[in-house]
Amino acid sequence: PAIISAGSSYTRLWTQMTWWRHANPPHIRYFRHLRSWPLSTSARKILPAVFMSSLYTLGMAFCLRHLRIGQYHLSSLTKGASAAMTALGAPLALLLTLRANASLGRLNEARLLCGRLIFHGRNLASFLRVYVQPIQPKAAIMAARYLIVLGWSIKALVRYESEDSQREVYTIMLGKDEAEWILSQPMNNPVAIAFRLRQIVANVGMSNSNESSSFFVPHSAMETCINDLDAVTGGLERLMGSPIPPTYSRHLSRIMVMYLANLPLALVASGTPSLGAMVASALASYVLIGVDEIGMEIENPFPLLPLQQICGAHQNIVGNHMMLPDIPHDIETHS
């Protein structure tokens, strides 16, 4: 499912007003972010881990200060804790930074591929309107329908949407027979749709044998656009099937647990009261676990991307191009 956040969010396309609110002066921006803190989806997800870490710190602080085993006082365990925390802190910060950067790179790449979908779809729609519609209007309209469906099909692929919802879209746009044909193919739906687009463009070229030489250049340009759209599908599939190596995530999680487990020892060694240690542990846990969770969230970029708006924009762009009027007669005569 898509992740929907309140206020300014990556899950929707931004407008001028969104950017204006986002770039408010610091005192306004900080107040707004603090006010919306209870609505934060990330904060709600990490709150149980932060709560357990703070309770663990409180319990450990009490035990270290008041319990002994025979003649052995548990407070002696705190010797060297500060040095251990310093040794763990540097690699933990490095791993968190590298993880966040890698996840952000995946998010940026996915958004770039979605932008290419609109760009190459707009180019292909222009070619269909200029070169195909004047000689075969029905073929141009059918190709435009397939081009629109391609965007929704990619959204369904990366969001794991049900076959019934896809069938409904395909049936409305293409008819029942074509919808069943797409869903019955062994390859994924966007690849099958790209194949149909190639068939339509090729049939237009072959059916106009008298003008085949003049149609060669636009045919090649349309094939290039289809290839680029196919590359968009392949890039999104690669992101969907290839995460950041799980070994990295597991190692980071273990170091995080080691750091938070040793944190009460260092706090007690520094003389921090038990309640103060609990608060300090909660703050440290919130920061560290929050950065780790953000990296985990954006590693899979597809629930975050505004795919509904992107596909809607793609549909509108293709439809608007296909409805553009012919060149005015006086301009045509003048040229």
Side-chain angles (χ1 to χ4, degrees):
I3 298 175
I4 305 298
S5 299
S8 58
S9 169
Y10 202 81
T11 58
R12 56 177 62 89
L13 295 178
W14 282 34
T15 62
Q16 182 180 3
M17 181 60 67
T18 313
W19 279 109
W20 179 80
R21 282 177 52 83
H22 180 69
N24 275 341
H27 63 285
I28 298 176
R29 186 169 67 250
Y30 297 160
F31 175 75
R32 188 176 74 248
H33 292 169
L34 288 173
R35 187 181 58 186
S36 62
W37 201 346
L39 303 177
S40 171
T41 55
S42 298
R44 288 200 295 267
K45 289 179 68 175
I46 68 175
L47 189 59
V50 172
F51 183 70
M52 287 188 290
S53 177
S54 59
L55 283 183
Y56 165 79
T57 299
L58 180 62
M60 282 292 295
F62 177 83
C63 293
L64 291 170
R65 285 194 167 98
H66 302 288
L67 295 185
R68 64 173 62 233
I69 301 176
Q71 299 298 321
Y72 185 76
H73 201 283
L74 293 183
S75 60
S76 60
L77 294 174
T78 61
K79 295 179 179 179
S82 298
M85 294 299 293
T86 302
L88 285 173
L92 177 59
L94 178 62
L95 287 172
L96 284 172
T97 302
L98 293 177
R99 165 63 182 278
N101 288 342
S103 298
L104 187 59
R106 291 171 56 85
L107 179 63
N108 290 336
E109 184 178 0
R111 186 62 184 88
L112 180 62
L113 289 169
C114 290
R116 288 175 180 170
L117 168 67
I118 294 180
F119 175 73
H120 297 307
R122 180 176 61 208
N123 286 344
L124 182 54
S126 297
F127 286 124
L128 292 172
R129 173 62 185 88
V130 173
Y131 294 103
V132 179
Q133 188 166 334
I135 56 178
Q136 288 199 20
K138 291 184 178 180
I141 296 302
M142 182 55 68
R145 287 177 175 269
Y146 273 105
L147 182 56
I148 290 172
V149 166
L150 178 63
W152 297 110
S153 178
I154 290 175
K155 171 179 173 289
L157 175 68
V158 299
R159 288 270 181 88
Y160 299 99
E161 295 180 359
S162 67
E163 186 174 298
D164 291 337
S165 65
Q166 297 179 62
R167 179 180 284 107
E168 182 179 359
V169 174
Y170 300 156
T171 302
I172 293 173
M173 295 296 297
L174 306 172
K176 184 177 180 180
D177 293 339
E178 280 300 292
E180 294 300 329
W181 179 86
I182 293 173
L183 293 171
S184 66
Q185 298 310 304
M187 73 279 288
N188 61 51
N189 296 341
V191 175
I193 293 170
F195 174 77
R196 267 291 196 250
L197 279 169
R198 282 194 173 92
Q199 282 186 319
I200 295 174
V201 173
N203 288 339
V204 172
M206 290 185 293
S207 62
N208 291 272
S209 56
N210 296 332
E211 302 178 3
S212 58
S213 58
S214 61
F215 193 73
F216 175 77
V217 173
H219 185 189
S220 299
M222 285 186 279
E223 276 291 340
T224 301
C225 288
I226 297 173
N227 287 338
D228 291 333
L229 291 170
D230 226 356
V232 169
T233 301
L236 293 173
E237 283 185 298
R238 174 175 52 79
L239 289 174
M240 184 173 58
S242 302
I244 296 173
T247 301
Y248 190 99
S249 299
R250 287 193 292 266
H251 188 61
L252 176 59
S253 298
R254 290 161 186 159
I255 294 180
M256 182 86 72
V257 171
M258 292 167 56
Y259 185 88
L260 294 177
N262 282 282
L263 183 59
L265 279 68
L267 292 172
V268 171
S270 66
T272 307
S274 297
L275 289 178
M278 183 182 70
V279 173
S281 176
L283 294 176
S285 300
Y286 182 84
V287 172
L288 296 175
I289 298 174
V291 173
D292 181 50
E293 180 59 29
I294 290 173
M296 183 66 70
E297 283 185 3
I298 64 178
E299 181 183 356
N300 178 18
F302 303 112
L304 292 171
L305 292 173
L307 294 180
Q308 184 75 22
Q309 292 177 282
I310 290 173
C311 292
H314 171 68
Q315 176 175 325
N316 292 336
I317 288 171
V318 174
N320 291 337
H321 273 74
M322 298 306 296
M323 291 188 295
L324 287 173
D326 291 326
I327 187 170
H329 180 69
D330 55 343
I331 296 179
E332 185 177 6
T333 303
H334 177 72
S335 61

